[in-house]
């Protein structure tokens, strides 16, 4: 299957800076079949015919502006791209690759489908350094049975292995991350984890936050950054929007209960 992976930033000035986070540039359920008397061949049951594809399931489950209580939710543009696929990314510490993907809106592991949205608006989780507009990226990915658990395990290992940071490169761009630490998050889905990463850009330190939630065979990967602070050379500490994360986790839980 051919997929296009995007690392996109909505709004020009802020998102040009977020491309600099690249730091030189930032299941469906099937029914049983039974023979068709006319052809003596299996015929598809109504439930199987109506089951959505992985891509359709994600499109119906991804967070929208209506869900996000005042946040604008958009499809990322193609203007700023760190990499179009994980194959384009190299990491100096291979164990840290899942974090490089997670922080650049590239899906983890080998999904059957993936979809990204970006929610923007005045932060609902202000910090000492960041009180204005922030961006929370949401990437959903759907997997064959067992593959989501494996991808989740890989990113958990990466958080533990990459405390001293790592550097990711793609298409002539470079993203050095200074440190990674585990961060406590509200439990969600079947399993969840949070992490904090720091990076230094033009001598200014920025704190980035991420979270990964597994709900059945779907992973939700969240990432946040203060693009304007990065663009303007101000230190930042942009937390994930709890409104957006709660809304998306709620839709995943509801979708799982309907399966």
């Amino acid at each position: 299957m051919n997929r296009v992976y995007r690392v996109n930033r909505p709004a020009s000035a802020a998102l040009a800076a977020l491309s600099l986070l690249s730091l030189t540039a930032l299941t469906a359920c099937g029914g049983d079949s039974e023979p068709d008397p006319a052809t003596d061949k299996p015929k598809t049951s109504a439930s199987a015919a109506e089951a959505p594809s992985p891509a359709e399931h994600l499109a119906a489950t991804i967070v929208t502006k209506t869900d996000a209580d005042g946040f604008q939710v958009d499809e990322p543009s193609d203007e700023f791209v760190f990499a179009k696929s994980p194959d384009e990314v190299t990491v100096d510490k291979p164990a840290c690759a899942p974090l490089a993907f997670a922080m650049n809106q590239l899906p983890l592991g080998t999904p059957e489908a993936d979809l990204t949205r970006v929610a923007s608006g005045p932060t609902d989780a202000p910090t000492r350094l960041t009180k204005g507009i922030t961006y929370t990226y949401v990437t959903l990915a759907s997997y064959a049975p067992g593959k989501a658990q494996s991808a989740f395990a890989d990113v958990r290992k990466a958080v533990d292995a990459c405390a001293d940071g790592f550097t990711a490169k793609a298409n002539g761009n470079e993203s050095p991350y200074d440190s990674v630490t585990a961060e406590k998050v509200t439990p969600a889905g079947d399993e969840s984890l949070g992490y904090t990463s720091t990076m230094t850009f033009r001598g200014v330190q920025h704190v980035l936050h991420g979270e990964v939630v597994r709900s059945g065979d779907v992973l939700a990967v969240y990432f946040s950054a203060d693009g304007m602070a990065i663009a303007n050379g101000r230190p930042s500490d942009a937390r994930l929007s709890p409104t957006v994360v709660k809304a998306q986790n709620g839709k995943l839980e509801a979708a799982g209960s309907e399966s």
Side-chain angles (χ1 to χ4, degrees):
M1 175 178 65
N2 294 322
R3 294 191 303 270
V4 176
Y5 301 88
R6 297 181 175 85
V7 184
N8 305 302
R9 319 295 196 239
S12 313
L15 296 192
L18 284 182
S19 97
L20 296 176
L21 272 183
S22 68
L23 287 199
T24 51
L26 205 19
T27 14
C29 301
D32 296 330
S33 296
E34 59 185 29
D36 185 334
T39 63
D40 199 30
K41 294 180 179 179
K43 63 180 180 180
T44 304
S45 69
S47 61
E50 296 170 1
S53 69
E56 290 170 336
H57 174 66
L58 295 185
T61 309
I62 195 81
V63 69
T64 67
K65 182 178 180 180
T66 302
D67 306 315
D69 192 22
F71 283 82
Q72 183 67 35
V73 178
D74 299 294
E75 295 183 23
S77 73
D78 290 328
E79 187 174 1
F80 302 105
V81 177
F82 178 67
K84 292 182 179 180
S85 93
D87 294 337
E88 297 177 357
V89 180
T90 60
V91 183
D92 60 344
K93 300 176 183 178
C96 303
L99 287 172
F101 303 153
M103 289 192 279
N104 285 290
Q105 292 72 66
L106 295 172
L108 308 175
T110 55
E112 298 180 323
D114 60 272
L115 189 62
T116 296
R117 294 289 183 267
V118 56
S120 59
T123 180
D124 53 351
T127 64
R128 182 177 61 84
L129 296 176
T130 294
K131 297 180 174 64
I133 301 294
T134 58
Y135 300 90
T136 295
Y137 294 87
V138 182
T139 297
L140 296 187
S142 180
Y143 299 79
K147 297 294 186 180
Q149 292 95 319
S150 177
F152 185 93
D154 287 344
V155 74
R156 184 186 293 281
K157 292 175 184 176
V159 171
D160 294 336
C162 303
D164 295 333
F166 63 93
T167 298
K169 297 180 181 181
N171 304 315
N173 299 320
E174 184 173 305
S175 295
Y177 301 95
D178 301 328
S179 67
V180 178
T181 56
E183 182 174 39
K184 185 177 180 179
V185 294
T186 302
D190 297 304
E191 50 188 340
S192 56
L193 64 84
Y195 62 88
T196 299
S197 177
T198 60
M199 70 174 199
T200 302
F201 178 62
R202 295 178 180 171
V204 179
Q205 188 175 71
H206 302 278
V207 182
L208 315 170
H209 297 267
E211 182 174 342
V212 182
V213 175
R214 181 181 70 81
S215 293
D217 294 320
V218 174
L219 288 185
V221 179
Y222 304 98
F223 175 72
S224 64
D226 184 342
M228 289 306 298
I230 297 170
N232 295 324
R234 293 184 284 104
S236 67
D237 179 6
R239 294 186 178 275
L240 296 166
S241 163
T243 298
V244 174
V245 172
K246 182 178 179 180
Q248 183 62 82
N249 287 342
K251 294 191 77 170
L252 286 172
E253 182 178 357
S257 66
E258 294 172 0
S259 298

